[in-house]
Structures are given as structure tokens and as C-alpha cells.
Amino acid sequence: MMARARHPVLTPEAPTAPVRQAPAGRYARLRRHRRWLPPLLVALLLTQMAAAMVTTAVQQTPTIDEPVYVATATDYLREHRLRYNPEHPPLGKLLIEAGVAVADPHYDPSYTGDQGEVGRHLLYASGNDPWRLMLWARLPVIALTLLCGLVVFAFARDLAGTAGGLTALALYAFSPDVIAHGSLATLDMPAVALVLTACLLVWRARRRPARYLPLAGAALGGAVATKMSALPAVPVLMALAALSALTAHRSEAVSWRPLPWLRARRPAVSALVGAVVVAFVAVAVVWAAYLAVDPRLRFVPAGPVPGVHGLRGRLVELLPVPPAYRAGMRVQFGLEDYPWQGYLFGHVYTGSLWYYLPAALLVKTPLGLAALGAAGAVAVVARRRLRPAAPYLLAVPAVLLAAAMTGSRDFGTRYALFVPVFLAVAAAGVLALRWRWAGLLTGALVLWAAVSSVRTFPYYLPYANEAFGGPAHTHRLLHDSNVDWGQDLGRLADRLRERYPGERVWLVYKGSGVPSYYGIHAADPRSVPPGRVHGLLVVSDSAVAKARGRLAELIADSRPVGEVGHSISLYRR
């Protein structure tokens, strides 16, 4: 029993190997200060990450989805009603609301229009400063992304000690995709942070089920109350909760206080109770998120809600969630039935490709992170002492990725943002291997990932790793939120003022920003005969990638003269 209690997988606080005494003499000072060295390194990593995200948040104009979320959060704050953006539950927008409350924007609740129009009206036609409002809306997401870094560190430390925790945190803190989406007022990073937290808490429930299972349910409920794409994680985490309860039941060293009723006489009953506790708390959190917006749960959608029939319709009706949540699921199913257009490796297609997300992740994941994460995942499965952690670390991202690959919207790796985050945690498993050069190789790959990230600063959204030519070439391989999400309208305005003052500008812009607000006075070249288009032709790279007909002819007859933020191309006609 003593050997079992000291096992690193069963006791998260224990290191993966016996602690060796540092030699006397020149290493004495390091030994005295080793207690504060890891916290200092954690602080430094998170500080540089915060600096990168805040810099990005300050410089980028609103992306396509952000005005919708900010307007919905403002409506929550001022009107307390469930009206806009039903396809996403409220919790992530309540987080954004915390920043909106500080900005205190002017808001006209009587303005009519769809949720995108309401967002643009709030930012550009209500007397607000969009730069200030967007920064405050983004800051709560930045703070949550930094807190997620602590979860990454804690999870990896449980697996491979402090060195493993620092390795995982470094990979996370320098991940371009995490920095890019962690600096936006969107829902992707909050959902990922809550899913990862749920996995960590269910893992720790092996030792203290009474403490961690309810907390895991709360984190899972928070993820599901932020994005409906987290729903496939529910049965997986329920199964993991049952496994943790079963493991704890068999361990005499586990304390069940303060909830002794969680432990039944039969192991199967304990497992069932553990799964039910997680599910019950998760559902309660979903209801609480909607009640926080409107205690009366009134739901008057601003747009139509499609009907869903067959098996999907029956499944929606059976879920124990508020009516607004079920309506949001119908909207999501309606979006899935739409024939979207995609772009991958230079080819435009209609519909979806099952391998789109793995291919996009291959392009946008730093090579050091990909190598260490893959090796760490293998180590977690292969090493006997780490194998108990394998389902807790690998099952949820595998199921979420499989579910995302069946979706019809091939818009970007943000739909699989959990992959680089879980890969960072898995990378800690490499340090558990008894290779002579494991530590040195790990350090070199972490440094490579860090350098790759620093080189793309501050253009994290269009990042591509070195194998695919870097961020300057991403637009030739991918589109939409992988490259061009409308984030560089402000930078374009600066470029036009500095280098092309007074010139005739023709603009094809993909985004939610209003060009005239930033001083860009341009016409759409597609609205006039090609012979009249002379001067500077400015085209968002997503439009370039999918250019057909008149726009394709205009680009073919033009000369490239520059680019802005690796997301907007400039041509001379």
C-alpha cells in the first residue's frame, strides 16, 4: 500500500522520479533557491504571453464574429434578455460582458437588424470608440487564457513533475493559435480552457473524488454553457468520472469526506454515482448561465429558428436544458446543413473534407509542439506508470476532434483549438522516458517552438510553421480564420495613409469592420466594368483564395505591390 501511495500517477503531488540531492559547493545556491525558481519561470512565461496577447488585442480591428458576441454581451448587460446569438450559450458572452461593463458603451436596444448589424451599429454608429470597447471586451478572455496556462502547468506537473509542467506551459504560452484566439473576444478559448480544467479535475478525483467530481461537473457545465461543440465531451467525462470513482473505491487510502455518500458498497454503484454527479452539476451550470441573463428565461429570438426533425429533433427535445439552449441547437443543425465553401492547399470546394482539420493543424502547429506532443502522447500510452493518465489526457481531445471533423464548416483550426492545448500537456510525458538525451532534446524543441512563435509576432492569426513557409505563405494554403478574419483593417488604413495618400483605392474586404470609420474610402471593383478599375486594388486574402469570375480577372491583370498583416494583398492596376 505504501508503494501504491507513492506512485506518481496516483499522487499528483509526487514527482515522477526520486528526488536527488544536489551536490554541495557550487550547486548549493541553486538548491537553496529551487523553491522559488519554478514559480518565477511560470510568472515569466505567463507575462510574455500576456504581453503578446495584449499587444495583439490593441492592434487588431474586430474580427468577423466579435461584434456579434460584444453586442450580445451588451444586450445581456443592459436588457437582460435572451435575444441574439442563440446558437451559442451565454456563459462565454457573460465573461465578455465583464469587460463591456467597464467600457460602459452607448447602446440602443431599439435598433433593428440581425445580430451582425447590431454589432456593427454598436461599434461604429452609437458614439462608441471601437478600439476601446474591443480592448475591454477582449481582456476577460485574455485573463482566462492566462489562467488556463496554470491548468496546463498543473496537469503536466501531475504527470511528469515540475520540469514537465514548465515544458508544457512553455509550449502553451508560445502557441500562436492559443495567443491568436486568446486575445479575441470570442468563445473558442474559454470553451477549451473549461474542457481542459474538467479533465484535470476528473483526473485528480482518483485521489479525492468527493472534492473534485463536483468541480469537474462545474467545469464541464461551463464548457457546454459556452459552446455547444463541447457536448461530445459530456459522455466521455462522465465515463472518466465513473473510472475515477471506481479507482478511488478500490483504494483504502482515499478519503471520501465531506461527501461520504459518494462511496457505495459496490464499486459499480460508486462509478455510477460519480458519473451522475458530474452530469447533474454540469446541467445545473447550464441552467445557471441562462438564469444569470434572465431569471424568467424569456426567449424572443431576433432571427428565425429552423425546425429540426428526425433523430436529431428527438435528441434535442430530450436534453434537460433551457428552451433557448434547444433553440440554439436547432440553429447549429441548420448551419451544419448549409453547403459552405472551403479552401485547402489551393483548392476551392463546396461542402466539407473530413481531413480538413488535421491538414490545417499540420500547417498551423509549431513543429516543436507537434513533435513533443506526439512523442509525449505515445509515452503516456507506452510507459506503465503513466498509462493510467492516458484516457484522461487523450480521450476527450480525440472525441472532440472526431466530432469536429464531421462538421460542415471548414473555417479554421479554432474548431480544434483544444488540440495544441492538450498536445502541450502531453509533451510532458517525454520527460518520463529514460532516454539519455530526452531532457536536452525536449529543451531544444521547446526553444524551436518559442522562436517560431516570436518570429510571427504580432501576426499570430495567419501563422504557419516553417515546413509550410511561415505566415507569409499561409494564405496560399488556408483561408478564413486561419489567415484573414478581418483583423487588419486598421493596419490597412495606416498603410494607405503612409504609402498611398490620395490614390484611388478599390477594396474587397472580408470582415465586420467598417472601412470608412478608419479613413478608408474605397469602392468595390466588382460593381463596375473591369476597364474602369485603375489604381490600388486591395483584396482580403480569403477573397483572393476563392476569387472567381470578375475578381479573378482583375487580380490576374494586376501587379502585386505588397501585403498587410499577411492577410490583405495589394495590387496595382
Side-chain angles (χ1 to χ4, degrees), residues 498-568:
E498 294 170 1
R499 299 189 184 180
Y500 308 99
E503 288 205 30
R504 181 72 161 113
V505 178
W506 302 88
L507 176 64
V508 178
Y509 167 67
K510 174 184 171 62
S512 293
V514 176
S516 60
Y517 178 87
Y518 301 94
I520 302 174
H521 302 287
D524 188 340
R526 298 167 295 184
S527 63
V528 299
R532 293 178 55 188
V533 180
H534 298 288
L536 197 65
L537 177 62
V538 181
V539 187
S540 293
D541 281 339
S542 289
V544 174
K546 298 191 293 184
R548 293 293 182 272
R550 180 176 297 180
L551 181 58
E553 294 175 6
L554 290 171
I555 294 174
D557 292 339
S558 303
R559 175 172 54 89
V561 294
E563 56 85 24
V564 176
H566 306 307
S567 73
I568 301 175

Side-chain angles (χ1 to χ4, degrees), residues 60-78:
Q60 292 187 157
T61 44
T63 58
I64 290 177
D65 287 357
E66 285 183 293
V68 173
Y69 300 144
V70 173
T72 305
T74 306
D75 200 64
Y76 288 171
L77 177 67
R78 298 291 174 78

Side-chain angles (χ1 to χ4, degrees), residues 41-42 44-46 48-49 52-53 145-146 148-153 156 159-160 162-180 189 196 364-377 393 417-431 438-454 456 460 463 466:
L41 293 175
V42 169
L44 288 174
L45 288 170
L46 292 180
Q48 74 79 27
M49 187 183 194
M53 289 192 293
T145 303
L146 294 173
C148 182
L150 297 178
V151 177
V152 169
F153 174 77
L159 301 179
T162 301
L166 291 172
T167 297
L169 179 58
L171 292 170
Y172 172 86
F174 284 105
S175 171
D177 260 5
V178 172
I179 294 173
M189 196 58 216
L196 180 71
K364 294 187 66 65
T365 303
L367 296 175
L369 171 58
L372 282 174
L393 182 60
L417 191 57
F418 49 84
V419 171
V421 176
F422 277 88
L423 277 179
V425 179
V430 174
L431 295 178
L440 184 60
L441 180 61
T442 299
L445 290 174
V446 170
L447 181 62
W448 186 9
V451 170
S452 181
S453 176
V454 170
T456 199
Y460 292 102
Y463 171 84
E466 293 78 5

Side-chain angles (χ1 to χ4, degrees), residues 4 7 66 72 95 134 167 209 244 268 277 300 313 369 392 410 446 475 495 539 551:
R4 181 184 180 89
H7 197 286
E66 285 183 293
T72 305
L95 175 69
M134 289 307 306
T167 297
S244 291
V277 166
V300 183
L369 171 58
Y392 298 89
D410 292 351
V446 170
H475 67 280
R495 178 68 61 83
V539 187
L551 181 58

Side-chain angles (χ1 to χ4, degrees), residues 391-423:
Y392 298 89
L393 182 60
L394 304 179
V396 168
V399 169
L400 289 178
L401 180 59
M405 288 167 60
T406 65
S408 65
R409 286 165 278 181
D410 292 351
F411 293 159
T413 55
R414 63 190 178 92
Y415 289 93
L417 191 57
F418 49 84
V419 171
V421 176
F422 277 88
L423 277 179

Side-chain angles (χ1 to χ4, degrees), residues 87-88 228-229 306 308 312 328-340 351-352 402-411 415:
E87 61 267 32
H88 294 300
M228 293 178 185
S229 58
V308 178
R312 294 190 304 184
M329 292 189 68
R330 296 189 189 99
V331 175
Q332 288 286 2
F333 283 132
L335 293 173
E336 285 296 309
D337 292 337
Y338 190 83
W340 300 101
S352 61
M405 288 167 60
T406 65
S408 65
R409 286 165 278 181
D410 292 351
F411 293 159
Y415 289 93

